[in-house]
């Protein structure tokens, strides 16, 4: 064998490892367009990109995602890190690190580390990048896979606990999916309450007791979860378990008054935004940190791995990781599955949006009766590619204008009772306080001026 062919043979012995793949042209161009669309649409809602490390302390994921979750207990790529290079100490393993299996924990870590609770309004961040889980590979399920995710965090301002924030996050997600041409989807929503004896904890105790009664009808995985994570039994796709699971008690019947109200408000807010959804009492999600709102999007044509996005509210997570009292909500889209289901042609005409160029408008609304109109105006402006801030709560005009200014908005669109009745809105340029009255159809033009 010549030296050349021996070398070639050696080169060919290397292959991408199981569950990991290359994304080649022309498919990579489609990936770029999908990711670029996310950047553009998310910017219209005022989200900025955060670039996160690929690995973190294992403890960060163990604490946030949960010790007993599949992700932490069996799917993480974990390794020991030696002492710092250059240190004279002999290398004794010092800390356990893991490739990130998801990014919410890292976003929260960064939020705390950079004191982002000092920022005005809600902190809105998105990320794009690879995640790593040692799962059984199949079509649509990989060991290195990609996510596009977004998170809203706030310690008090911005009324982040309001279900209006949940609904706006979901609206943004649906706007993005529509932008990339994915419309054959189903949005599933649920509330898993909060961790208190009169709410989820009470439900979990009841669920565990019921599951013990029907233990022999369940498979090994579910039997194990009765002790560790009984909610996850509801997630089971095993055909032989479905009949048994269908008879279990529903969490909706065990929510406390506040969580019940929050869930009702979420549904009302989704309806207000024209977003169709299905309630799914079995949607509990695989990560421990969720509370109240959980949601998932499934897409047609993806076979068994048909979930393209999952998300929910995680009001206790920042405190759990040592930060200040902060509430949060977010989602993660599986880019691999999204790309599998979008049509290349649908993206070609995708318009360019200008949202990166600063906050165009702050919609200052007053009185609950004005809110539906404010939602509609924000939708229209964002669809035109403009970055818009729609506060979850109303305030006196002076206070709203002050916040609009602080956030760097070019215009405030004022939506009060009179404006709703007359269908004419005051558009105020914040730099020089010049204002004019415009009709709804002229708002985009009025707010587009720099
Ligand atoms: P999760 O972080 O588990 O809530 O997942 C959010 C989304 O990421 C899912 O709906 C999937 O679309 C995607 N996803 C999760 N795990 C994988 C995987 N192993 N391979 C491909 N996509 C995944």
């Amino acid at each position: 064998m010549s030296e050349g062919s021996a070398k070639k043979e050696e080169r060919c012995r290397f292959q991408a490892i199981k569950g990991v793949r290359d994304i080649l042209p022309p498919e990579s161009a489609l990936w770029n367009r999908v990711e670029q669309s996310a950047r553009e649409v998310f910017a219209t809602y005022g989200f900025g990109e955060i670039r996160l490390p690929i690995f973190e302390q294992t403890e960060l994921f163990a604490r946030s995602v949960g010790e007993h979750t599949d992700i932490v207990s069996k799917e993480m790529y974990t390794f020991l890190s030696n002492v710092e290079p250059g240190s004279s100490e002999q290398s004794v393993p010092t800390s356990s690190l893991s490739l990130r299996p998801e990014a919410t924990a890292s976003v929260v870590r960064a939020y705390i580390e950079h004191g982002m609770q000092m920022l005005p309004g809600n902190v809105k961040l998105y990320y794009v990048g690879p995640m790593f889980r040692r799962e059984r590979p199949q079509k649509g399920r990989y060991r290195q896979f990609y996510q596009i995710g977004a998170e809203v965090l706030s310690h008090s301002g911005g009324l982040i606990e309001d279900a209006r924030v949940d609904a706006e996050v979901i609206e943004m997600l649906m706007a993005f999916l529509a932008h990339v041409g994915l419309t054959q989807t189903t949005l599933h929503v649920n509330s898993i309450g909060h961790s208190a004896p009169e709410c989820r904890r009470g439900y979990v105790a009841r669920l565990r007791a019921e599951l013990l009664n029907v233990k022999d009808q369940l498979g090994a995985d579910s039997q194990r979860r009765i002790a560790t994570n009984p909610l996850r039994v509801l997630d089971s796709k095993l055909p032989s378990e479905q009949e048994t699971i269908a008879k279990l008690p529903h969490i909706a019947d065990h929510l406390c008054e506040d969580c019940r109200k929050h869930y009702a408000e979420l549904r009302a807010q989704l309806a207000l935004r024209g977003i169709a959804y299905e309630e799914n009492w079995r949607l509990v999600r695989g990560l421990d940190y969720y509370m109240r709102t959980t949601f998932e999007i499934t897409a047609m044509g993806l076979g068994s791995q048909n979930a393209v996005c999952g998300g929910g509210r995680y009001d206790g997570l920042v405190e759990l990781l040592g930060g200040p009292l902060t509430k949060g909500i977010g989602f993660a889209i599986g880019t691999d599955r999204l790309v599998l289901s979008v049509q290349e042609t649908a993206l070609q005409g995708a318009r360019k949006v200008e949202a990166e160029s600063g906050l165009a408008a702050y919609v200052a609304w007053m009185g609950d009766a004005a809110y539906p109109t404010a939602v509609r105006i924000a939708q229209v402006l964002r669809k035109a590619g403009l970055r818009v801030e729609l506060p979850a709560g109303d305030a006196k005009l002076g206070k709203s204008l002050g916040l609009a200014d602080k956030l760097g908005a070019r215009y405030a669109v004022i939506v009060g009772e009179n404006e709703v009745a007359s269908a004419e809105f005051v558009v105020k340029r914040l730099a020089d306080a010049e204002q004019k009255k415009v009709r709804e159809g002229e708002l985009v033009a009025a707010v587009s001026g720099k």
Side-chain angles (χ1 to χ4, degrees), residues 104 150-151 169-170 173 187-190 192 283-285 287 289-297 308-314 329-333:
T104 302
E151 317 284 352
V169 164
I170 293 174
L173 170 62
L187 166 67
H188 307 261
V189 299
N190 190 24
I192 55 167
L283 184 65
V284 294
R285 318 271 309 117
L287 301 87
Y289 52 62
Y290 285 118
M291 62 170 284
R292 289 194 173 165
T293 307
T294 55
F295 56 94
E296 190 166 276
I297 292 186
V308 287
C309 175
R313 182 170 268 281
Y314 46 85
I329 175 156
F331 62 77
I333 301 163

Side-chain angles (χ1 to χ4, degrees), residues 167 264-277 375 379:
E265 183 60 14
L266 170 71
R267 286 170 292 165
Q269 288 295 325
L270 290 174
L272 168 70
R273 288 166 163 81
I275 299 169
Y277 62 87
V375 167
Q379 284 176 336

Side-chain angles (χ1 to χ4, degrees), residues 46-195:
F47 283 67
E49 181 168 6
I50 180 166
R51 295 198 177 211
L52 297 159
I54 299 283
F55 57 101
E56 300 265 7
Q57 290 178 342
T58 303
E59 180 65 15
L60 174 69
F61 302 117
R63 273 229 225 155
S64 56
V65 178
E67 302 272 6
H68 296 297
T69 57
D70 285 353
I71 293 177
V72 169
S73 65
K74 30 185 214 208
E75 295 171 0
M76 286 209 296
Y77 289 94
T78 295
F79 51 98
L80 291 177
S81 154
N82 293 347
V83 288
E84 292 294 307
S87 149
S88 56
E89 262 177 81
Q90 267 315 299
S91 47
V92 182
T94 52
S95 65
S96 172
L97 305 178
S98 293
L99 295 184
R100 61 184 189 191
E102 59 100 54
T104 302
S106 300
V107 172
V108 169
R109 193 239 343 110
Y111 175 92
I112 300 169
E113 191 170 335
H114 301 287
M116 289 192 226
Q117 74 272 15
M118 304 307 284
L119 296 171
N122 291 340
V123 176
K124 302 179 190 177
L125 300 166
Y126 72 87
Y127 58 83
V128 173
M131 309 292 155
F132 306 86
R133 293 182 197 171
R134 193 186 286 108
E135 293 194 87
R136 195 169 49 77
Q138 53 182 282
K139 186 171 176 236
R141 199 202 266 172
Y142 310 98
R143 290 181 165 179
Q144 173 171 337
F145 62 100
Y146 294 78
Q147 287 187 336
I148 297 171
E151 317 284 352
V152 186
L153 292 142
S154 184
H155 83 120
S156 64
L159 290 173
I160 188 166
E161 64 283 359
D162 202 301
R164 284 173 177 148
V165 177
D166 308 40
E168 190 177 70
V169 164
I170 293 174
E171 180 191 293
M172 176 173 91
L173 170 62
M174 302 311 281
F176 163 61
L177 296 179
H179 194 258
V180 297
L182 191 70
T183 47
Q184 303 278 70
T185 55
T186 307
L187 166 67
H188 307 261
V189 299
N190 190 24
S191 173
I192 55 167
H194 81 297
S195 158

Side-chain angles (χ1 to χ4, degrees), residues 7-21:
K7 262 198 183 139
K8 192 167 166 208
E9 190 156 284
E10 180 144 324
R11 268 207 300 275
C12 291
R13 280 218 302 271
F14 293 110
Q15 288 178 349
I17 57 173
K18 194 174 165 197
V20 163
R21 66 203 175 119

